[in-house]
Amino acid sequence: MNVGFVGLGIMGRPMALNLVRAGTPLVVWNRTAARSEPLRAAGAEVAGSAAEVFRRARVVILMLADEAAIDAVLERGTPAFPRNVADRVVVHMGTTSPAYSAGLEADVLAAGGGYVEAPISGSRVPAEQGRLVAMLAGRPEAVEEVRPLLKPMCVKTVVCGPAPKALLTKLAVNIFLITTVTGLAESLHFAERQGLDIGLLVDVLNSGQMASDVSRVKAVKLAGRDFAAQAAIADVLKNNRLIAEAARGAGVASPLLDVCHALFGETLALGHGDLDMAAVVHAIEARTHKEETRG
């Protein structure tokens, strides 16, 4: 049977394109129909509704923005939900709270379906290159059915155990990502205010032991004031909130994350929610301006 894919946003569209280009028989749907056209042109079939995707596919990948969007697509809580998911495997590749995912798995299993948590690490460019890392959790038979299907999108898949351990792993990864990019933004802001040559600083950073794929990309974006979204401020703030909630629920301290949470919230309030996460530098600059005004 076909593989289904629902959700063709910044991440979903390149992920789905990699599937169809690899020869996966794909049927897709997106709430904004125009986003499906590049998939149609690449050879995917475009369904008229999410329910049609479930009728035509054995495995359905969801790359959706939030819990409400997932519930709406699945028609969860209505008589249509068991019809959609029975004898299907639902693959949740977005980022939601671990508790939500655990509850969704229970509902899908009760309706006679299978469920795999498969959040990914990576932003738009790795998605375009098929170099995402997927963390998988769920019942072993469902995980092993889904795992080979992810190869065109992912350079690596890691099995994390039962749900929601994949999402908890993703949140742990995102702590490192968010604090790293925020620290890099502060570094370049400091250098700019000290009158340093930003190009030289970027060269030093990219040549040293702290360099990574993320730091190289974000340093260039910060230096060039290029804030076209690869991972948008609003999305990163949502992830930050999910981590903070999970940390508070487990009684875990997250001091660095809490500072970043405040800064990303300030960046959103400044009107930069659609910009790349590197735009967190705007909040740092605003704090500097306040200090200068006090002085």
Side-chain angles (χ1 to χ4, degrees):
M1 294 183 69
N2 291 319
V3 172
F5 200 108
V6 177
L8 302 171
I10 289 177
M11 296 292 291
R13 183 159 61 178
M15 291 165 66
L17 282 169
N18 282 332
L19 283 174
V20 74
R21 288 166 180 164
T24 305
L26 201 67
V27 56
V28 304
W29 181 81
N30 192 77
R31 184 177 59 182
T32 304
R35 289 184 177 271
S36 300
E37 291 310 309
L39 273 299
R40 191 196 304 274
E45 297 181 33
V46 178
S49 66
E52 182 185 341
V53 175
F54 283 96
R55 287 195 300 271
R56 296 175 58 186
R58 157 72 183 166
V59 175
V60 179
I61 295 169
L62 306 180
M63 190 60 188
L64 295 166
D66 54 32
E67 299 165 5
I70 294 170
D71 287 347
V73 161
L74 294 174
E75 298 179 88
R76 192 177 179 197
T78 77
F81 177 76
R83 293 198 298 270
N84 286 333
V85 305
D87 300 317
R88 300 293 185 265
V89 180
V90 177
V91 185
H92 169 26
M93 295 196 76
T95 304
T96 61
S97 78
Y100 169 83
S101 181
L104 179 58
E105 180 187 46
D107 286 353
V108 171
L109 295 178
Y115 181 81
V116 176
E117 230 180 43
I120 47 92
S121 178
S123 57
R124 179 177 56 81
V125 171
E128 292 170 346
Q129 297 171 341
R131 294 190 58 81
L132 299 169
V133 176
M135 293 145 277
L136 282 71
R139 292 190 172 180
E141 62 274 15
V143 168
E144 290 311 312
E145 180 176 355
V146 167
R147 195 175 189 182
L149 299 176
L150 305 184
K151 286 182 179 179
M153 300 183 289
C154 301
V155 69
K156 189 176 182 66
T157 56
V158 180
V159 178
C160 301
K165 287 193 174 181
L167 272 165
L168 287 167
T169 303
K170 168 67 184 289
L171 296 185
V173 168
N174 276 1
I175 293 172
F176 187 36
L177 170 66
I178 292 168
T179 56
T180 296
V181 173
T182 306
L184 183 65
E186 185 171 326
S187 173
L188 267 73
H189 174 64
F190 173 86
E192 187 269 329
R193 288 303 180 114
Q194 296 288 349
L196 301 180
D197 185 321
I198 300 301
L200 287 178
L201 174 62
V202 171
D203 187 30
V204 171
L205 291 171
N206 289 347
S207 301
Q209 62 182 354
M210 295 177 294
S212 67
D213 289 346
V214 168
S215 71
R216 290 188 179 97
V217 169
K218 299 305 184 187
V220 170
K221 289 180 77 64
L222 283 159
R225 307 292 290 187
D226 169 19
F227 298 125
Q230 295 173 342
I233 289 288
D235 294 332
V236 176
L237 181 60
K238 182 199 80 170
N239 290 342
N240 209 321
R241 175 182 56 79
L242 292 173
I243 301 165
E245 289 173 354
R248 297 298 87 79
V252 175
S254 55
L256 294 179
L257 183 84
D258 294 344
V259 171
C260 296
H261 197 168
L263 287 167
F264 277 89
E266 291 165 25
T267 309
L268 183 71
L270 288 168
H272 304 308
D274 292 335
L275 300 185
D276 187 74
M277 66 185 299
V280 70
V281 72
H282 287 297
I284 300 170
E285 291 168 346
R287 289 194 183 193
T288 293
H289 180 68
K290 286 181 181 178
E291 291 297 322
E292 290 172 341
T293 301
R294 288 194 193 102

